[in-house]
Amino acid sequence: MNPEAQQDVSVSQGIRMMFYMVKPNETSFQTLEEVPDYVKQATPFFISLMLLELAVSWILKGKPSGRLDDALTSISAGIFSRLPSLFSRSIELTTYIYIWENYRLISLPWHSPWTWYLTFLGVDFGYYWFHRMAHEVNIMWAGHQTHHSSEDYNLSTALRQSVLQIYTSWIFYSPLALFIPPSVYAVHLQFNLLYQFWIHTEVIDNLGPLELIINTPSHHRVHHGRNRYCIDKNYAGVLIIWDRIFGTFEAENEKVVYGLTHPINTFEPFKVQFHHLVYIWTTFWATPGFFNKFSVIFKGPGWGPGKPRLGLSEEIPEVTGEEVPFSSPVSRLLRIYAVVQFALMLAFYEEAFADKAALSQVTLLLRVCFIILTLTSIGFLLDQRPKAAVLETFRCLVFMLYKFGHLKPFIPSLSFAFEIFFSVCIAFWGVRSMKLASGPWK
């Protein structure tokens, strides 16, 4: 996908893009370089739909559709997941291109509507099996659990993405590379993702006959539930027929309680992303026997010695419907401060993506370090971690000194070396401050 190949998207096209209501003749491209970055183009539609959801929720329920601290954490996770794309093309595309160039069996015509619709089905089928394995294989769950860690269910939850997930998802799409051109695959990979945005909401109820065919908010609410009847159900991306065919469908009935079965109770982005990896690491070394250690990694998250592959359903904590989501204890003034700093960081983030072609890898790394530092500091503030003020003071000092040029080297030829040195300093002091502030993960 080529950001420089962007075409202006009309309001009509943008809305249709969010619901996969696009035509083959307007989204077919001969080369991968011609494929627009539809996900980036969707940013204003993400924002517009979230604001619309907020308004509808106020009108229908008299309250907002979610909580500020949870929404900031979800958007932070989405930003975190996109940062690697500043440096290289997605592994989902690089592996696909490699297989296409070296092992393809046939080349279906890129401009054929039949190829377009076949790819739609192929990508959605691949997503079903990736998504199912992401719940049934512990090391894959370590990435996907990020998306399920929100205890709210709204459109911001859709943005709570894992930075690790793409390193396993490519496996399930790779058979398509034997006959589907990369440009067609790249289009549907994005539309499949965009479609799943709108189903993360509670303001849409039942959609009647459509519930039989497509994934809907009702179906996906079940998938995000931690009620026993919701666990490992409704893996669909676009078409719910896959769940009906393979026996993983469950209709929504009793009230759904959202989040992980064992809530992590934090807004800190590193813990949101990586806490389950830490759990796997400690469990791996604490579990005796080679085959048991192997099972810790490749069986289900609920597995233990002597248990079935996916664990025991009776060990899943029961919910009462009276659960209170974890909330930040900070004052209203500090929440406003966090929002302002988050907005400034978003502008910095957008600027990094807009200028990435003109920036050196070291400069990009420096900007990514600062974005991560900002997200971490906001998470610590919301969690009211000890020493959070120390980390935030350091972050503000770094921003002011670098932004206003007080740390520019006197000799221009040393600017590249200075950027390297400054990157190392940010990384070192950021990690040191995080260790001081966070303490051990439990």
Side-chain angles (χ1 to χ4, degrees), residues 151-196:
E151 294 181 88
D152 289 343
Y153 190 77
N154 53 52
L155 293 178
S156 72
T157 308
L159 304 179
R160 188 178 287 226
Q161 297 294 322
S162 168
V163 72
L164 299 174
Q165 189 165 284
I166 60 171
Y167 298 103
T168 53
S169 60
W170 66 269
I171 299 168
F172 298 86
Y173 302 121
S174 57
L176 297 175
L178 299 176
F179 52 94
I180 301 291
S183 60
V184 186
Y185 165 72
V187 166
H188 287 279
L189 191 65
Q190 294 185 82
F191 288 152
N192 191 276
L193 176 66
L194 291 175
Y195 176 88
Q196 295 177 55

Side-chain angles (χ1 to χ4, degrees), residues 161-389:
Q161 297 294 322
S162 168
V163 72
L164 299 174
Q165 189 165 284
I166 60 171
Y167 298 103
T168 53
S169 60
W170 66 269
I171 299 168
F172 298 86
Y173 302 121
S174 57
L176 297 175
L178 299 176
F179 52 94
I180 301 291
S183 60
V184 186
Y185 165 72
V187 166
H188 287 279
L189 191 65
Q190 294 185 82
F191 288 152
N192 191 276
L193 176 66
L194 291 175
Y195 176 88
Q196 295 177 55
F197 178 75
W198 76 275
I199 61 177
H200 290 82
T201 186
E202 290 188 296
V203 301
I204 297 176
D205 196 12
N206 190 284
L207 294 179
L210 290 177
E211 302 278 341
L212 298 172
I213 303 170
I214 63 172
N215 197 9
T216 65
S218 176
H219 297 329
H220 206 59
R221 284 194 289 270
V222 171
H223 179 72
H224 272 258
R226 54 183 166 116
N227 314 54
R228 286 184 179 177
Y229 88 94
C230 297
I231 301 299
D232 296 338
K233 299 297 181 181
N234 299 1
Y235 297 113
V238 178
L239 299 175
I240 199 65
I241 59 173
W242 308 124
D243 287 288
R244 296 184 183 279
I245 291 171
F246 296 110
T248 53
F249 175 75
E250 187 70 45
E252 184 179 23
N253 47 67
E254 64 188 66
K255 177 184 177 182
V256 177
V257 178
Y258 304 108
L260 301 173
T261 56
H262 299 86
I264 57 175
N265 296 338
T266 184
F267 300 112
E268 193 271 294
F270 273 96
K271 193 170 182 181
V272 170
Q273 291 283 346
F274 303 119
H275 80 95
H276 196 73
L277 273 183
V278 176
Y279 170 78
I280 290 176
W281 176 261
T282 56
T283 305
F284 178 86
W285 291 111
T287 303
F290 172 80
F291 289 107
N292 282 339
K293 289 183 184 295
F294 182 86
S295 297
V296 167
I297 298 174
F298 295 105
K299 288 188 178 179
W303 178 86
K307 298 177 184 178
R309 181 176 68 89
L310 299 181
L312 298 168
S313 60
E314 56 265 32
E315 291 185 349
I316 298 170
E318 290 194 45
V319 299
T320 63
E322 303 299 323
E323 285 76 10
V324 178
F326 175 73
S327 295
S328 174
V330 301
S331 66
R332 180 175 296 180
L333 186 61
L334 194 52
R335 289 172 187 267
I336 294 172
Y337 175 82
V339 170
V340 171
Q341 296 302 319
F342 193 84
L344 291 172
M345 182 280 305
L346 276 178
F348 190 76
Y349 165 83
E350 288 293 331
E351 182 184 2
F353 272 90
D355 298 342
K356 72 175 184 177
L359 299 175
S360 69
Q361 292 286 291
V362 174
T363 302
L364 282 174
L365 179 61
L366 181 62
R367 295 191 176 198
V368 165
C369 286
F370 182 76
I371 290 169
I372 293 174
L373 183 62
T374 301
L375 296 177
T376 303
S377 184
I378 291 173
F380 283 169
L381 289 172
L382 293 175
D383 277 0
Q384 288 287 272
R385 297 282 188 91
K387 306 284 187 179

